[in-house]
């Protein structure tokens, strides 16, 4: 049983105010030094408004930092984003047309006019000052030049100019240029260059606009390289109008190509690829030594000549070419008393010789018939002509197939916007 009388009973009416308090329970004497209630409410309202304005300002500032270009120091800046879009654009270009200059080792600048396809096939010319141009062909990372004696002399090849004028020449990086042109300027390789993956942010800056052709572009300086971004194309990407490598050692203007121009390039490239079949390697030297000759008389109608052919690699022994077999073409020329004689099938052909090694070659010569009352023998003289070949027959056939495949790849790529 519960004692109801022990429970507290809530008052039905509020108790009267204590002495010194008003009807709201506030101390009547405590607020003698404060302003009236209406003024206090106005100050609180002003403080709340100021606090709200500050919050809005902070929010706007944070939003601004995300949408405004804050410069190349941020890897997510609009600058790197522009470069990434340009790289994506060039990566799929069927081919690009380059004009400009490239420094030749110890011999000044050469003017270049090249078309380089997406897979790295290239065709064009290189011209030293006041000299005839040299034809340029490149495929599969190999570049070849062909020119007359004067053109080779302009490249500092005076001693070999006569020999090189007879055959196109394989041009390895380091001989005239620091790097292979087609490999560096192929659209996918150029696209990778634009990403500046190895260049820290502090070495990237933006310069004042410069004029290229009929419009201006914005130069982006990245360490010792400059990339000039031009006007925006469809899709928002900016085309690369000009690029300067290694402190200006190579400066090229870049042009997109129409589908008609790309198709014309593919046709021309197929027809001019044959020059690689006859190319020699300037870093290979072939020497011959006659082992058996007939300065006097020999058998009435038959003589056998012997020669030793030696291959020497003139570059660094650490290079891959230093141990690769070289194809040497040879041809014997035999005469008797100044009259050419018939030679056997072993007197011409090709042989593979590794640098630092030698091979002996023989030739059987058959002289003219001898009349019964004429001399029974004559004066024979023999010569062997040799020439190294930069590409073996097997390598050349592989490049022909590769060129056909590359042409199909280029044809399948869409045109630039």
């Amino acid at each position: 049983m519960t004692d109801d009388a022990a429970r507290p009973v809530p008052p039905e009416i509020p108790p009267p105010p204590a002495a010194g308090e008003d009807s709201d329970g506030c101390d009547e004497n405590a607020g003698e030094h404060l302003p009236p209630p209406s003024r206090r409410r106005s100050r609180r309202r002003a403080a709340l408004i100021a606090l709200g304005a500050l919050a809005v300002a902070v929010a706007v500032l944070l939003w601004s930092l995300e949408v405004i270009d804050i410069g190349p120091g941020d890897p997510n800046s609009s600058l790197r984003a522009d470069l990434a879009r340009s790289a994506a654009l060039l990566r799929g270009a069927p081919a690009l047309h380059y004009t400009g200059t490239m420094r030749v080792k110890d011999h000044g600048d050469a003017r270049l006019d090249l078309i380089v396809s997406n897979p790295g096939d290239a065709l064009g010319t290189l011209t030293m000052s006041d000299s005839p141009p040299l034809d340029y062909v490149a495929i599969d990372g190999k570049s070849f030049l062909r020119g007359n004696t004067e053109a080779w002399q302009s490249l500092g090849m005076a001693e070999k100019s006569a020999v090189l004028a007879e055959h196109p020449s394989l041009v390895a990086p380091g001989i005239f240029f620091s790097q292979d042109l087609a490999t560096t300027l192929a659209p996918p390789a150029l696209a990778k260059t634009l990403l500046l993956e190895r260049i820290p942010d502090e070495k990237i800056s933006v310069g004042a606009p410069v004029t290229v052709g009929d419009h201006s572009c914005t130069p982006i300086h990245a360490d010792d390289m400059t990339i000039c971004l031009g006007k925006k194309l469809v899709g928002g990407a900016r085309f690369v109008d000009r690029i300067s490598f290694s402190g200006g050692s190579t400066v090229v203007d870049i042009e997109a190509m129409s589908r008609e121009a790309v198709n014309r390039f593919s046709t021309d490239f197929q027809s001019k690829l044959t020059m690689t079949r006859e190319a020699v390697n300037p870093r290979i030297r072939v020497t011959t030594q006659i082992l058996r000759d007939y300065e006097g008389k020999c058998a009435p109608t038959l003589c056998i000549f012997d020669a030793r052919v030696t291959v020497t690699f003139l570059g660094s022994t650490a290079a891959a070419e230093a141990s690769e077999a070289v194809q040497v073409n040879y041809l014997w020329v035999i005469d008797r008393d100044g009259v050419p004689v018939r030679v056997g099938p072993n007197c011409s052909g090709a042989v593979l010789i590794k640098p630092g090694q030698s091979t002996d070659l023989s030739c059987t010569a058959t002289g003219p018939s001898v009349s019964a009352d004429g001399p029974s023998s004559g004066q024979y003289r023999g010569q062997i002509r040799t020439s190294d070949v930069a590409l073996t027959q097997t390598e050349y056939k592989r490049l022909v197939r590769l060129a056909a495949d590359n042409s199909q790849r280029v044809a399948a790529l869409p045109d630039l916007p």
Side-chain angles (χ1 to χ4, degrees):
M1 183 175 179
T2 305
D3 186 1
D4 293 334
R7 294 180 179 175
V9 179
E12 295 181 1
I13 58 174
E21 292 182 353
D22 61 15
S23 60
D24 292 330
C26 299
D27 189 345
E28 293 178 347
N29 300 320
E32 291 180 353
H33 61 285
L34 296 177
S38 58
R39 292 176 62 188
R40 293 201 301 271
R41 285 194 295 270
S42 297
R43 288 185 178 182
R44 284 198 298 269
R45 187 179 300 112
L48 289 174
I49 292 174
L51 183 60
L54 177 62
V56 171
V58 171
V60 170
L61 175 61
L62 292 175
W63 176 81
S64 299
L65 290 175
E66 293 189 8
V67 300
I68 296 176
D69 178 14
I70 59 177
D74 185 343
N76 295 319
S77 68
S78 62
L79 176 61
R80 285 192 181 269
D82 275 347
L83 289 171
R85 283 190 289 267
S86 298
L89 179 72
L90 294 185
R91 191 177 296 115
L96 295 172
H97 184 198
Y98 298 90
T99 55
T101 60
M102 185 172 190
R103 191 157 301 154
V104 179
K105 189 176 180 181
D106 302 325
H107 287 87
D109 291 339
R111 297 191 308 276
L112 59 87
D113 187 339
L114 302 178
I115 294 175
V116 185
S117 72
N118 192 282
D121 296 347
L123 198 63
T125 59
L126 293 176
T127 308
M128 297 298 294
S129 178
D130 301 324
S131 297
L134 291 104
D135 294 328
Y136 178 89
V137 171
I139 182 173
D140 196 32
K142 296 180 176 63
S143 293
F144 302 84
L145 287 174
R146 176 174 59 191
N148 62 20
T149 301
E150 184 181 353
W152 282 111
Q153 288 174 343
S154 69
L155 287 175
M157 304 295 288
E159 294 182 2
K160 299 181 179 180
S161 60
V163 175
L164 292 174
E166 296 180 3
H167 300 278
S169 177
L170 174 68
V171 182
I175 296 180
F176 302 122
F177 317 114
S178 59
Q179 50 194 328
D180 184 73
L181 282 177
T183 301
T184 304
L185 298 178
L190 186 64
K192 185 173 178 61
T193 299
L194 297 186
L195 298 180
L196 307 180
E197 294 174 341
R198 298 183 179 181
I199 299 179
D201 295 334
E202 60 269 18
K203 291 190 176 182
I204 303 175
S205 62
V206 181
V210 299
T211 300
V212 174
D214 59 354
H215 60 280
S216 65
C217 63
T218 303
I220 299 173
H221 306 295
D223 202 0
D224 63 346
M225 178 175 62
T226 299
I227 301 164
C228 212
L229 296 182
K231 58 186 178 182
K232 287 187 178 181
L233 304 178
V234 176
R238 300 175 68 183
F239 192 75
V240 180
D241 290 326
R242 174 178 293 168
I243 187 166
S244 172
F245 295 93
S246 301
S249 61
T250 301
V251 181
V252 289
D253 291 343
I254 308 172
E255 291 182 272
M257 297 177 62
S258 66
R259 177 54 57 177
E260 180 183 1
V262 171
N263 292 339
R264 186 165 56 249
F265 161 80
S266 295
T267 300
D268 291 344
F269 185 81
Q270 297 276 350
S271 65
K272 294 185 178 181
L273 183 63
T274 55
M275 101 178 202
T276 66
R277 180 175 54 189
E278 306 169 358
V280 298
N281 188 339
R283 296 198 290 183
I284 293 294
R285 182 173 62 197
V286 180
T287 55
T288 58
Q289 177 187 3
I290 299 295
L291 300 178
R292 182 166 59 175
D293 195 1
Y294 296 92
E295 297 180 356
K297 296 181 179 180
C298 67
T301 59
L302 185 145
C303 293
I304 299 177
F305 293 80
D306 293 316
R308 178 162 295 162
V309 180
T310 303
V311 171
T312 304
F313 182 70
L314 302 179
S316 170
T317 56
E321 292 176 86
S323 59
E324 294 178 354
V326 176
Q327 178 175 318
V328 177
N329 294 344
Y330 63 92
L331 173 67
W332 284 93
V333 178
I334 311 294
D335 68 78
R336 178 187 178 188
D337 296 332
V339 178
V341 301
R342 188 171 70 252
V343 297
N346 63 331
C347 295
S348 64
V351 62
L352 294 177
I353 307 174
K354 285 191 173 183
Q357 298 183 5
S358 302
T359 295
D360 292 347
L361 300 174
S362 297
C363 175
T364 301
T366 303
S369 59
V370 179
S371 59
D373 57 350
S376 59
S377 61
Q379 180 74 38
Y380 283 78
R381 186 174 64 91
Q383 288 183 319
I384 182 171
R385 299 173 181 173
T386 59
S387 173
D388 71 281
V389 180
L391 300 176
T392 66
Q393 189 67 16
T394 300
E395 289 174 326
Y396 173 72
K397 289 180 179 179
R398 183 184 68 82
L399 291 186
V400 170
R401 293 191 299 268
L402 179 62
D405 293 342
N406 288 347
S407 179
Q408 293 180 358
R409 287 175 55 191
V410 169
L413 292 171
D415 295 332
L416 289 176

